[in-house]
Amino acid sequence: MLAISRQRILGQSFQKIRPAVPGLRSYSSAAKQITVREALNSALDEEMSADPKVFLMGEEVGEYQGAYKITKGLLEKYGPERVLDTPITEAGFTGIGVGAAYYGLKPVVEFMTFNFSMQAIDHIINSAAKSNYMSAGQISVPIVFRGPNGAAAGVGAQHSQCYAAWYASCPGLKVLSPYNSEDARGLLKAAIRDPDPVVFLENELLYGESYPVSDEVLDSSFCLPIGKAKIEREGKDVTITAFSKMVGYALKAAEILEKDGIYAEVINLRSIRPLDRSTINASVRKTNRLITVEEGFPQHGVGAEICASVVEESFAYLDAPVERIAGADVPMPYAANLERMAVPQVEDIVRAAKRACYRSVPLAATA
Amino acid sequence: MAFSAPTANFTPLNTPFLRSHDNTLVSSLSPSPFFGSTAKLRLSSSPNFNLHRRSGSVVAVSEAVKEKKFKSTRNLLITKEEGLELYEDMVLGRAFEDMCAQMYYRGKMFGFVHLYNGQEAVSTGFIKLLKLQDSVVSTYRDHVHALSKGVPARAVMSELFGKTTGCCRGQGGSMHMFSREHNLLGGFAFIGEGIPVATGAAFTSKYKREVLKEADCDHVTLAFFGDGTCNNGQFFECLNMAALWKLPIVFVVENNLWAIGMSHLRSTSDPQIYKKGPAFGMPGVHVDGMDVLKVREVAKDAIARARRGEGPTLVECETYRFRGHSLADPDELRDPDEKARYAMRDPIAALKKYIIENNLASEAELKAIDKKIDEVVEDAVEFADESPVPPRSQLLENVFADPKGFGIGPDGRYRCEDPKFTQGTAHV
């Protein structure tokens, strides 16, 4: 998304200060562009070569080069014992992965989409997430479940659900959701090195998008911390939290709002569980208004959790009610115009931000 | 590959065969524990076949049917009307799918579209034997199943375009075709998901007959699925229960040897799927799925068996899809020689040859059917093009059968009672 190339990091951020990266592609410094797909592929490649216990498992990850080409070239490089094409048995191969993790291997299980993970959810929650607890620390499960999550384009109700909220509600799991290439590389490497089960939610529509990355990101020891959010854009009037594709939309909305004199602070959550409550709360204490954006269903969603957290910790600082922008409370329809209505758009975020800043007519009761 | 020359021995469905353990088997199968009742189920007085346990040996029906054909050259397998009906149905399926590909590349269709080219014999062979009240449950490759079952081409095409005149008003899409009127129970994206649903439909049919006492209810259910599904746990769970409770269902495996890019032989420990039937106590049949007449013969027996209350059958149809898994699949892993070999066995060409050689109809009549189908498909596209997109208010409709599920609004009444509910901003 072009918006991110124009981000400015003013003054202190919660992370290391990095040089501002201008968006002009002709700039010949270290601003290399890679797609999210390349980022994920290189992360898997490096982790597999660093640790022989890491192996991949999933449908079409080998000979087909990955259903979305994320695992391209890995079969040729590491052979069929480390890149396993499985039959269509989510429950079966997830269980096998968890069992392998019990005994010290580090599987990376790919779900063709996270919708299919529902067939295996018993293993993800009961065998993987709860094991360390039930065994009082004796059995840890260093497994990564990754795959595309959320809506794609025109794929219907059974292929479009966002599972961030479901998995993030379960203790024992870590849930990550990257936005750009840097996130994808850093978080996937961190996930593979992590000794706990990690659910890694990617987004199919972002795979082909390229983002600038610095040399530090391309280094093979690059890793992002799990549990820390990133402030993509600083602002002072309203905080917008988002993850995955919605970060791009939030940044675009921030551009539009800036023209109206509203400076929005955009937080890329990166980690849904554990949620970086301190970053969010600190931001809300600065701006006093909060909008949460997500693609999934509204009830019991990520936004609901953030809202509760902010109300608990920063209630006195809020000048306006917290608003959640979420997908429509319906199974995803197929028709293109209905689908557009069922997923948040940039205009929705802009409108909500303005409402929070009292720049438009106060909201009447809506559905 | 084991399929081109099926070798296992297996007696065809409609000939009596050695039943050395017959009596003991039947009596030891004491009245099925259907619903825990001990009421005896209606067993046919002379069962045409056994529920094998271990002695399930299975021969390719293609051999047996071929013999039958040779023995009775004068008694053709189909009459002229039937022949033309089968031909028309297969040509409709093929023309429709080709048009879908065109429309997809023009941007009128979107998302995931899975085409059925090459497999028409299975759909036509089975579904044309059904009554309106019989049900069909399918997978995402369901356009042709819908057409064979009787859903109008216009409704299917509109659904694919996402228009409100589609069979699901544009809300389901390519992978989720439903029709209450034609008893097409979907259209499921997850493989293996339709099998338990089909088993449930068969259960309902049996329940209606035995518990609700609608004595003439003999509806049969057909479950269509692929070779990849046969490794999935749900498949085995349903084979077990269908055989246990003798449900009127036929499990039809459309074995086209490939699950996206995963070859059947690479993913299955025993690639001969029909053998899995006898392991659960039902007959397993292998048939050449590129020949609609052979499929029809097997289907007749299996469906009749289910209607009589004798239980399920597993039919494995060896077939092939001429296109990739979906329109987004580059289809690089399949050997072009394999594709060429199967293209020579095109079911439509084979049926055409049969009809002409046996003087059932003339070339001109078949061409007239081709032309008629082209017009039907063109008309369907025009209709779909001109149909309106769903209105905004449709977004919130049909989430619940009783829409009180949207809860109570700020004015204290149910949200759904407010006439402006669906016109409003669908912002939650």
Side-chain angles (χ1 to χ4, degrees):
Chain A
M1 307 282 177
L2 296 174
I4 196 179
S5 57
R6 279 185 266 153
Q7 72 186 9
R8 292 177 207 4
I9 300 178
L10 306 165
Q12 189 170 355
S13 75
F14 287 78
Q15 314 215 312
K16 290 190 281 207
I17 296 174
R18 289 184 18 249
V21 175
L24 301 170
R25 287 176 205 195
S26 54
Y27 197 149
S28 60
S29 90
K32 185 170 174 227
Q33 297 246 350
I34 57 172
T35 60
V36 172
R37 184 177 281 123
E38 287 164 16
L40 292 168
N41 184 280
S42 59
L44 286 170
D45 196 355
E46 287 163 18
E47 291 302 307
M48 284 183 81
S49 73
D51 186 346
K53 297 204 290 286
V54 177
F55 69 96
L56 300 186
M57 197 156 67
E59 291 154 11
E60 310 293 6
V61 294
E63 287 193 6
Y64 199 79
Q65 309 296 319
Y68 296 98
K69 306 291 181 249
I70 306 293
T71 50
K72 192 173 167 118
L74 295 177
L75 175 66
E76 284 72 40
K77 201 163 168 192
Y78 296 104
E81 293 93 29
R82 290 186 71 193
V83 178
L84 292 140
D85 274 328
T86 57
I88 310 179
T89 44
E90 271 79 10
F93 69 71
T94 307
I96 291 177
V98 173
Y102 278 13
Y103 284 98
L105 294 181
K106 292 180 159 210
V108 178
V109 175
E110 171 171 319
F111 291 115
M112 204 181 275
T113 76
F114 262 94
N115 300 274
F116 305 160
S117 73
M118 288 198 289
Q119 301 213 322
I121 204 167
D122 176 48
H123 284 295
I124 299 177
I125 309 283
N126 281 328
S127 315
K130 298 182 182 171
S131 293
N132 199 46
Y133 188 84
M134 292 194 291
S135 67
Q138 295 170 76
I139 300 187
S140 86
V141 189
I143 190 170
V144 176
F145 302 102
R146 50 160 294 270
N149 176 52
V155 294
Q158 292 183 344
H159 280 79
S160 306
Q161 193 168 336
C162 174
Y163 289 86
W166 281 28
Y167 288 122
S169 75
C170 187
L173 278 183
K174 295 181 181 167
V175 180
L176 304 176
S177 190
Y179 161 57
N180 57 12
S181 310
E182 177 193 336
D183 288 353
R185 249 183 82 81
L187 292 175
L188 185 55
K189 278 161 149 323
I192 295 177
R193 295 179 196 182
D194 194 277
D196 286 314
V198 180
V199 171
F200 194 80
L201 306 170
E202 304 156 4
N203 187 295
E204 192 218 323
L205 297 175
L206 290 178
Y207 283 151
E209 300 283 338
S210 21
Y211 299 95
V213 288
S214 64
D215 279 341
E216 186 204 344
V217 173
L218 294 172
D219 182 65
S220 68
S221 61
F222 176 69
C223 216
L224 285 175
I226 292 182
K228 289 230 52 83
K230 178 175 180 207
I231 302 197
E232 295 282 350
R233 183 190 174 111
E234 294 227 346
K236 60 178 177 57
D237 292 318
V238 60
T239 300
I240 306 180
T241 65
F243 60 96
S244 187
K245 192 166 95 178
M246 292 292 127
V247 176
Y249 284 28
L251 288 168
K252 283 202 189 119
E255 298 279 320
I256 295 173
L257 288 166
E258 194 183 349
K259 299 197 183 79
D260 280 326
I262 301 178
Y263 296 92
E265 178 148 300
V266 176
I267 299 183
N268 173 1
L269 291 174
R270 283 185 170 171
S271 166
I272 318 290
R273 186 178 184 100
L275 199 54
D276 191 352
R277 295 167 209 273
S278 63
T279 302
I280 299 169
N281 276 286
S283 173
V284 171
R285 287 175 189 215
K286 186 169 83 171
T287 64
N288 308 123
R289 297 164 211 278
L290 175 63
I291 314 273
T292 67
V293 187
E294 60 183 307
E295 227 181 7
F297 300 136
Q299 188 166 347
H300 305 300
V302 176
E305 175 62 31
I306 294 177
C307 176
S309 164
V310 163
V311 161
E312 283 165 12
E313 295 178 31
S314 314
F315 184 64
Y317 292 83
L318 282 172
D319 282 347
V322 176
E323 273 208 56
R324 300 175 287 172
I325 310 280
D329 202 9
V330 299
M332 184 68 68
Y334 166 72
N337 65 327
L338 292 183
E339 192 185 26
R340 230 173 299 124
M341 280 197 275
V343 172
Q345 305 294 335
V346 178
E347 305 84 62
D348 299 316
I349 305 177
V350 170
R351 246 198 324 254
K354 286 187 173 166
R355 274 198 297 264
C357 296
Y358 307 125
R359 295 294 180 97
S360 69
V361 177
L363 192 59
T366 51
Chain B
M1 221 155 15
F3 294 107
S4 36
T7 48
N9 9 326
F10 156 89
T11 36
L13 302 175
N14 53 1
T15 59
F17 54 89
L18 302 173
R19 300 191 232 129
S20 48
H21 307 289
D22 185 18
N23 293 326
T24 44
L25 207 59
V26 166
S27 57
S28 70
L29 286 183
S30 28
S32 106
F34 177 66
F35 253 7
S37 84
T38 45
K40 260 210 159 113
L41 268 188
R42 240 195 308 153
L43 288 174
S44 280
S45 47
S46 57
N48 279 349
F49 37 50
N50 244 334
L51 296 171
H52 310 285
R53 295 289 159 145
R54 264 149 245 125
S55 52
S57 41
V58 170
V59 130
V61 169
S62 38
E63 311 263 337
V65 173
K66 236 192 283 187
E67 285 171 30
K68 187 175 163 191
K69 261 161 80 170
F70 284 147
K71 280 187 208 144
S72 51
T73 39
R74 232 165 270 157
N75 308 341
L76 296 171
L77 289 171
I78 44 170
T79 65
K80 174 177 177 164
E81 289 76 33
E82 288 170 356
L84 293 180
E85 188 195 357
L86 296 180
Y87 184 77
E88 182 170 339
D89 193 54
M90 290 209 287
V91 171
L92 174 62
R94 180 68 61 89
F96 190 91
E97 297 292 69
D98 284 337
M99 183 61 78
C100 281
Q102 255 194 60
M103 292 295 119
Y104 188 86
Y105 294 126
R106 286 197 206 165
K108 306 249 181 100
M109 242 181 252
F110 37 90
F112 288 144
V113 179
H114 306 85
L115 297 182
Y116 202 73
N117 296 46
Q119 300 181 197
E120 295 88 359
V122 180
S123 174
T124 302
F126 268 94
I127 301 184
K128 283 305 176 193
L129 291 170
L130 294 182
K131 306 190 291 204
L132 186 64
Q133 299 91 345
D134 293 325
S135 334
V136 167
V137 177
S138 176
T139 60
Y140 43 75
R141 207 180 293 282
D142 56 353
H143 306 170
V144 179
H145 293 143
L147 293 171
S148 291
K149 194 67 176 63
V151 181
R154 283 182 159 195
V156 182
M157 192 61 86
S158 298
E159 181 64 27
L160 294 171
F161 281 31
K163 301 288 175 82
T164 199
T165 45
C167 57
C168 300
R169 303 209 296 165
Q171 292 181 200
S174 161
M175 296 186 284
H176 307 295
M177 298 273 170
F178 289 85
S179 169
R180 161 61 51 213
E181 182 195 355
H182 297 99
N183 282 307
L184 173 69
L185 302 180
F188 290 97
F190 280 50
I191 60 143
E193 191 181 0
I195 305 179
V197 171
T199 312
F203 180 86
T204 310
S205 159
K206 188 178 169 91
Y207 186 90
K208 277 191 192 165
R209 187 171 61 218
E210 311 215 338
V211 178
L212 299 179
K213 306 292 183 209
E214 292 172 30
D216 55 354
C217 178
D218 59 354
H219 306 328
V220 166
T221 308
L222 296 185
F224 289 94
F225 48 94
D227 43 288
T229 312
C230 295
N231 293 323
N232 195 286
Q234 291 176 94
F235 169 62
F236 298 115
E237 292 172 18
C238 292
L239 283 184
N240 177 47
M241 288 190 280
L244 183 66
W245 294 329
K246 292 235 187 82
L247 300 181
I249 182 172
V250 183
F251 295 102
V252 183
V253 183
E254 295 168 323
N255 184 352
N256 58 21
L257 303 175
W258 291 90
I260 305 190
M262 187 65 161
S263 142
H264 179 58
L265 302 169
R266 273 183 78 211
S267 71
T268 316
S269 58
D270 184 349
Q272 296 178 301
I273 300 174
Y274 62 86
K275 287 206 257 176
K276 298 181 186 179
F280 286 92
M282 71 178 84
V285 186
H286 175 271
V287 67
D288 175 6
M290 302 304 269
D291 183 334
V292 66
L293 299 174
K294 289 180 189 157
V295 172
R296 198 177 146 87
E297 288 304 304
V298 168
K300 271 192 206 161
D301 287 328
I303 294 174
R305 193 178 118 83
R307 265 200 228 289
R308 282 194 300 266
E310 288 167 22
T313 315
L314 176 66
V315 180
E316 177 187 354
C317 305
E318 179 200 343
T319 179
Y320 202 74
R321 52 171 163 83
F322 292 157
R323 289 183 183 262
H325 165 74
S326 72
L327 288 173
D329 178 18
D331 196 15
E332 293 155 344
L333 286 174
R334 298 197 299 174
D335 187 10
D337 288 335
E338 182 189 71
K339 291 191 215 180
R341 258 186 291 130
Y342 278 99
M344 289 203 304
R345 292 164 61 185
D346 186 340
I348 296 182
L351 181 65
K352 187 165 176 178
K353 188 156 166 267
Y354 182 88
I355 289 180
I356 292 181
E357 276 176 6
N358 291 292
N359 291 320
L360 284 172
S362 67
E363 180 110 23
E365 282 173 305
L366 297 181
K367 279 216 160 30
I369 291 183
D370 286 342
K371 189 155 174 300
K372 174 175 153 209
I373 294 296
D374 278 338
E375 283 166 18
V376 165
V377 174
E378 292 274 344
D379 167 73
V381 172
E382 262 181 52
F383 176 77
D385 253 338
E386 288 159 14
S387 297
V389 287
R392 195 195 169 104
S393 55
Q394 199 179 306
L395 180 65
L396 294 176
E397 288 172 17
N398 298 130
V399 182
F400 304 104
D402 166 16
K404 295 206 183 87
F406 278 113
I408 298 190
D411 57 351
R413 289 176 18 213
Y414 279 111
R415 285 209 159 95
C416 58
E417 288 171 10
D418 174 4
K420 298 196 98 188
F421 174 55
T422 53
Q423 251 98 55
T425 61
H427 303 137
V428 179

